[in-house]
Amino acid sequence: MKRGATISGRPELRTSYRADMALLNSRPKRLGAGVILAAALAAPFLITDALLAIAALACAAAIGAIGLNLVSGYAGQVSLGHAFFIGAGAFTAAALTGDPGESVYGLGLQWIVAVPAAGLVAAVLGFLVSPIASRFRGLYLAIATLGLVFLGEHILDNWRSLTGGAGAGRRGVIAEIGGVRLDQPTEVAGLVLTTSQQLYLLALVLLVVLAVLARNLARSAVGRAFEAIRDRDIAAEVMGVRLGRHKMIAFTLSSFYAGVSGAVYYTVINQINPESFNLLLSVQFIAMVLIGGIATISGSIMGAFFITFLPRITRELPAIVPFLTAEPTLRDGALLTVFQLEAILYGVLIVGFLILEPRGLYGLWVRVRNYWKGWPFTY
Amino acid sequence: MGASSHPQHTTSHATPQSRGDQPAVGGDDEGAPLLTVADVRLSFAGVRALDGVSLTVGEHELFAVIGPNGAGKTSIFNVLSGVYRPQQGQVRFAGHDLIGREPYAIAALGMARTFQNIELFENLTVLDNLMLGRQRHVRYGWAQAMWWLGPARREELAHRRHVEDLIDFLEIEAYRKHPVGLLPYGIQKRVELGRALAMEPRLLLLDEPVAGMNAEETEDMARFILDVRDELGIPMILVEHDMRVVMDLADRVLCLDFGQPLVTGTPEEVQQHPAVLEAYLGGGATTPTAPTPTAPTSDAAEEGPR
Ligand SMILES: Nc1ncnc2c1ncn2[C@@H]1O[C@H](COP(=O)(O)OP(=O)(O)OP(=O)(O)O)[C@@H](O)[C@H]1O
Ligand SMILES: [Mg+2]
């Protein structure tokens, strides 16, 4: 039938190593990426502002998930401390952009300065913590980084001049670029952009840039060294991989991504509470990585969108499912609240993916792709 | 970088490579053997794994180490590559003392090895495993890696070409993009050799390269080992139980028993040496367990390395 297409469309036939090593090394990949990017750019004009705000949060979360995937998925250094670095970034950006003269620190700086600074502050903290990773492995590292979350929570709860203190919190990150307040509607070239549209586009651009950078790292000698350390650290070292140095790079970069993620997330949400940066937040990021797919950048993004949109979906369910309630407490014969359902779903999804598809959503996608590649043959 | 990372293994009489491009390695003891191990002693909580081992390996030599199970052959490799730190003794390699150096630093000097129980990165493709062997030649850092364009891409291309040459050489083209964990055992062994060769080593340590292989696979591997010596000019230490392979390939042989060197010599000398026969027979039926590394070995050890 379509003979011509199968001959000219041999995606694996490449004439140079350079073409083979390109980021998008086949026509379907280039096409797919183009379509997704076009859809993402068109989204602000197609979906409601409420959904767009969630998508902006998902972009922010995806940046953090990519960071966690670098250190835990690629380099295999399980970290429960990701929430700590997210928090460090969020409060750094909030303090840098905050109004001077309020009860909490505020320097009134531009967003465009504050976001990289938030990444850098988190990166420095990650760098300082990285020697822990050289000392401990596996479960011990997980426990050591767990300590970090508790320590961070304690500091944030009590550092009132920065965070507003437990129970009070402070205003989120203010998005001001060149005198334009993006948290208010602005007119660009005769087109009025709403807050959600602006913040979503901002988050999307950052996500795309940071994702490409991470993908480049992953396919480089550094990324290979990460994976070698994850799979067999002694063999890796015998092959010339510097363990300590690469763990340091992984932790520092991961923390940078976390810092940026926190800053962007709390640009969309305009209230930060110090209690937010707890173990549950770390677990949510782990869920994004596990569900999205270990050691894949696109998987991190899928996982982040999935986890971020999950509450939005479960909150619609009580209308359809009789025994669910959207109220925080059980009444009128309901068996579950949506919040309980979410908690259960996290657990079920993590365990389910670990058992059934360890490569996560990315793995599911690969299966679907391979199925259609081989169609109509089933082997 | 450029030229050195693209050697032609196909040229028939290659001089020992990675000399010009590794200025740090150009040792300070001219004329000395490439590797000198002197009186190395290593024990684990009472077990004497290595008990006064000495040996030398020359620039073009294929040196074999044999001995019964548990004799300490793999332990020598682990000392050489920095995984184990002996309690006593010296190791000098290309003008550098190795004891106390980190494994990656020893690898950076040009020591490459394969493992008795294959230690490949199973989740990675054949290509990525071999590219990992290039680690000591990588000059770009993480920031350049993230930017990709420029030095990172240029270097990656050069490494890729080098690795593709090795893939040709080892005849594993068909498996290039397969995850290593799914490949047959014999191919995995070959990939592991490729990963070590990708380092452009000055010395290659092979731990039982033909163990568990059938006759045909063994023959292939033996041919690759000969090619590595003759075409790439890389000196090797070969640990192997298959005596036929050892006798065919090795220039000199060291026989170990209970961590002690029994004899070093040409394959014929070692094969006929009474202490060696004793060790192999004694290790079997008569004294199977009792670790008595004393009587039959002490005088033979005097002969030691030349
Ligand atoms: N990490 C270790 N901890 C404790 N004992 C060890 C360790 N490594 C080696 N040994 C002991 O050292 C001795 C020599 O072991 P080695 O692995 O070097 O033997 P080998 O000659 O390679 O044997 P084989 O032919 O079975 O591979 C053995 O008695 C072994 O049990
Ligand atoms: Mg052994």
Side-chain angles (χ1 to χ4, degrees):
Chain A
M1 285 165 273
K2 285 173 67 183
R3 276 197 67 84
T6 50
I7 291 169
S8 71
R10 282 176 64 182
E12 287 294 316
L13 184 68
R14 292 182 198 107
T15 44
S16 75
Y17 298 141
R18 189 182 177 128
D20 188 39
M21 287 162 65
L23 192 56
L24 300 167
N25 58 6
S26 70
R27 204 155 42 150
K29 275 188 203 169
R30 278 192 293 274
L31 236 143
V35 167
I36 290 172
L37 201 62
L41 285 171
F45 312 103
L46 300 175
I47 62 177
T48 65
D49 269 20
L51 282 180
L52 214 49
I54 301 175
L57 290 178
C59 288
I63 295 171
I66 290 171
L68 185 63
N69 219 333
L70 285 179
V71 74
S72 299
Y74 283 95
Q77 309 299 304
V78 178
S79 169
L80 289 173
H82 213 55
F84 172 75
F85 301 109
I86 302 266
F91 281 112
T92 303
L96 291 179
T97 59
D99 287 330
E102 277 181 22
S103 62
V104 285
Y105 294 136
L107 292 176
L109 292 178
Q110 297 271 317
W111 191 83
I112 220 127
V113 178
V115 169
L120 285 179
V121 166
V124 168
L125 290 171
F127 172 78
L128 294 176
V129 165
S130 68
I132 295 180
S134 306
R135 294 266 140 61
F136 300 106
R137 293 207 317 219
L139 193 57
Y140 298 97
L141 179 61
I143 290 167
T145 51
L146 179 63
L148 202 62
V149 188
F150 291 137
L151 188 71
E153 254 189 301
H154 182 76
I155 293 172
L156 293 179
D157 279 354
N158 291 292
W159 192 351
R160 290 177 177 282
S161 50
L162 176 70
T163 68
R170 68 173 288 164
R171 200 175 154 191
V173 184
I174 300 169
E176 185 192 334
I177 299 175
V180 180
R181 288 284 297 256
L182 297 184
D183 53 354
Q184 280 139 27
T186 18
E187 198 183 315
V188 183
L191 194 74
V192 178
L193 289 177
T194 65
T195 308
S196 295
Q197 285 171 337
Q198 298 178 82
L199 293 180
Y200 165 78
L201 287 172
L202 207 58
L204 178 69
V205 169
L206 261 179
L207 169 61
V208 170
V209 170
L210 288 174
V212 170
L213 293 181
R215 185 72 186 75
N216 283 343
L217 186 79
R219 63 179 166 146
S220 74
V222 181
R224 285 193 298 270
F226 283 0
E227 293 192 84
I229 291 171
R230 175 195 67 200
D231 290 351
R232 292 177 184 274
D233 53 355
I234 292 176
E237 214 181 359
V238 170
M239 300 314 300
V241 174
R242 298 179 64 168
L243 290 192
R245 188 182 153 73
H246 282 97
K247 287 180 182 178
M248 183 268 282
I249 294 172
F251 250 95
T252 307
L253 284 177
S254 154
S255 307
F256 180 88
Y257 275 71
V260 172
S261 167
V264 176
Y265 198 91
Y266 285 97
T267 307
V268 183
I269 291 185
N270 46 28
Q271 167 72 21
I272 321 183
N273 294 318
E275 301 94 333
S276 307
F277 306 98
N278 54 16
L279 182 60
L280 182 64
L281 184 64
S282 287
V283 171
Q284 283 186 346
F285 275 98
I286 289 173
M288 291 175 202
V289 168
L290 287 179
I291 291 173
I294 288 170
T296 68
I297 301 297
S298 49
S300 314
I301 299 173
M302 290 189 243
F305 271 77
F306 188 84
I307 293 291
T308 311
F309 274 96
L310 188 63
R312 184 74 182 74
I313 297 163
T314 54
R315 250 145 251 188
E316 296 291 334
L317 287 180
I320 314 162
V321 185
F323 55 85
L324 263 178
T325 171
E327 304 288 328
T329 51
L330 290 176
R331 53 177 129 111
D332 304 333
L335 296 174
L336 271 178
T337 71
V338 285
F339 304 101
Q340 289 168 326
L341 179 70
E342 271 163 37
I344 293 170
L345 274 179
Y346 281 141
V348 169
L349 285 169
I350 290 177
V351 174
F353 269 106
L354 281 180
I355 294 171
L356 299 174
E357 181 47 282
R359 292 177 304 168
L361 290 172
Y362 175 81
L364 283 182
W365 152 243
V366 169
R367 279 195 207 187
V368 170
R369 191 187 63 191
N370 289 348
Y371 177 79
W372 286 111
K373 253 190 193 171
W375 194 85
F377 307 107
T378 51
Y379 47 82
Chain B
M1 183 73 252
S4 64
S5 62
H6 186 37
Q8 291 295 315
H9 63 257
T10 38
T11 48
S12 47
H13 29 259
T15 46
Q17 34 175 302
S18 62
R19 269 190 135 175
D21 64 327
Q22 292 294 310
V25 175
D28 42 22
D29 25 41
E30 258 336 288
L34 177 62
L35 177 79
T36 311
V37 175
D39 194 31
V40 163
R41 288 161 201 274
L42 169 77
S43 48
F44 299 99
V47 180
R48 288 199 182 168
L50 295 176
D51 197 2
V53 171
S54 302
L55 61 91
T56 61
V57 179
E59 284 285 359
H60 304 281
E61 203 169 17
L62 205 167
F63 188 94
V65 179
I66 61 169
N69 288 104
K73 306 180 292 296
T74 300
S75 297
I76 293 183
F77 280 10
N78 281 332
V79 167
L80 290 181
S81 52
V83 178
Y84 292 165
R85 188 172 181 161
Q87 282 80 13
Q88 210 184 308
Q90 269 101 47
V91 179
R92 241 183 127 63
F93 172 60
H96 298 271
D97 279 316
L98 295 193
I99 307 293
R101 254 177 222 260
E102 298 284 322
Y104 78 83
I106 294 176
L109 294 175
M111 180 92 73
R113 74 179 278 191
T114 66
F115 296 83
Q116 186 169 351
N117 306 306
I118 302 173
E119 297 266 351
L120 287 167
F121 306 106
E122 291 99 338
N123 296 317
L124 305 187
T125 60
V126 169
L127 206 50
D128 278 342
N129 269 276
L130 264 62
M131 288 291 271
L132 264 159
R134 302 297 298 160
Q135 202 72 23
R136 82 178 183 108
H137 299 285
V138 170
R139 295 286 167 270
Y140 66 89
W142 60 269
Q144 286 162 315
M146 293 181 94
W147 186 245
W148 192 253
L149 303 177
R153 181 165 71 177
R154 214 173 318 121
E155 254 195 65
E156 283 291 295
L157 259 168
H159 293 315
R160 174 72 185 267
R161 282 198 206 99
H162 185 98
V163 160
E164 289 285 348
D165 281 350
L166 284 172
I167 288 178
D168 270 3
F169 172 67
L170 294 170
E171 295 159 21
I172 45 178
E173 295 92 337
Y175 308 105
R176 203 184 263 121
K177 299 224 165 158
H178 289 226
V180 165
L182 305 178
L183 298 178
Y185 176 82
I187 300 296
Q188 290 197 13
K189 280 276 194 190
R190 223 185 272 182
V191 174
E192 209 189 20
L193 174 64
R195 186 180 65 176
L197 287 176
M199 292 173 72
E200 290 181 74
R202 297 203 63 189
L203 179 64
L204 176 57
L205 315 178
L206 299 173
D207 201 344
E208 308 204 7
V210 306
M213 285 188 173
N214 62 31
E216 194 187 338
E217 289 172 326
T218 302
E219 204 166 296
D220 281 347
M221 186 52 90
R223 186 165 51 82
F224 287 126
I225 294 172
L226 273 178
D227 286 351
V228 168
R229 184 180 63 176
D230 299 338
E231 289 184 18
L232 306 183
I234 298 171
M236 275 171 274
I237 304 182
L238 171 70
V239 163
E240 189 45 70
H241 279 297
D242 188 325
M243 280 310 133
R244 220 173 47 96
V245 169
V246 172
M247 296 305 148
D248 282 355
L249 298 183
D251 298 317
R252 283 190 305 144
V253 180
L254 160 68
C255 180
L256 281 182
D257 194 18
F258 292 113
Q260 298 190 327
L262 296 186
V263 53
T264 307
T266 63
E268 296 73 30
E269 283 166 14
V270 171
Q271 203 169 17
Q272 286 151 16
H273 199 282
V276 175
L277 297 174
E278 169 82 10
Y280 272 88
L281 295 177
T286 45
T287 53
T289 45
T292 48
T294 42
T297 57
S298 51
D299 57 331
E302 305 279 305
E303 296 181 22
R306 293 187 306 201

